[in-house]
Amino acid sequence: MNHVFTPFAAPAALTAAPTVANVPPAVRSGAWLLAPGRAITLKADGPSVLRVRQGRVWITRDATAQGASADLVIGPGESLVLARGDRLVMEPWDGNGATWTWDQI
């Protein structure tokens, strides 16, 4: 029996989630889907950049020695640079979900 792992898969009841069919190939190539109603915690192992390809995300950054916790919203084409050890929680801003990438720089 083959099992397929789909990160951040939305429950079937969330029919508003973007599907592969309605997310353009240029957007989904190499990107992750964050479904509506879901959240994810990410921690940078090294200098990294989070880029939003489609949708908007609400991000809460953990407090660091350099500053307090902060909330921000970023949308398509926008990015957030993170230093090693930075941690954040991210969720879609609205009911449409979002696609994003995470790369080390």
Side-chain angles (χ1 to χ4, degrees):
M1 176 187 304
N2 292 333
H3 294 282
V4 177
F5 174 71
T6 305
F8 322 114
L14 295 176
T15 58
T19 63
V20 171
N22 65 14
V23 176
V27 170
R28 71 177 179 255
S29 177
W32 296 95
L33 172 64
L34 184 57
R38 304 293 288 217
I40 185 170
T41 300
L42 301 168
K43 184 175 181 183
D45 290 338
S48 303
V49 61
L50 166 73
R51 291 183 181 92
V52 176
R53 290 194 178 182
Q54 184 177 31
R56 293 188 299 166
V57 294
W58 175 11
I59 296 171
T60 302
R61 294 179 76 161
D62 279 359
T64 66
Q66 292 76 33
S69 176
D71 288 323
L72 62 143
V73 175
I74 63 174
E78 296 180 311
S79 60
L80 178 65
V81 175
L82 299 126
R84 181 171 196 228
D86 284 356
R87 193 172 77 109
L88 61 85
V89 175
M90 177 174 67
E91 62 186 277
W93 176 250
D94 54 29
N96 296 317
T99 54
W100 57 278
T101 60
W102 178 279
D103 299 296
Q104 289 200 333
I105 51 176

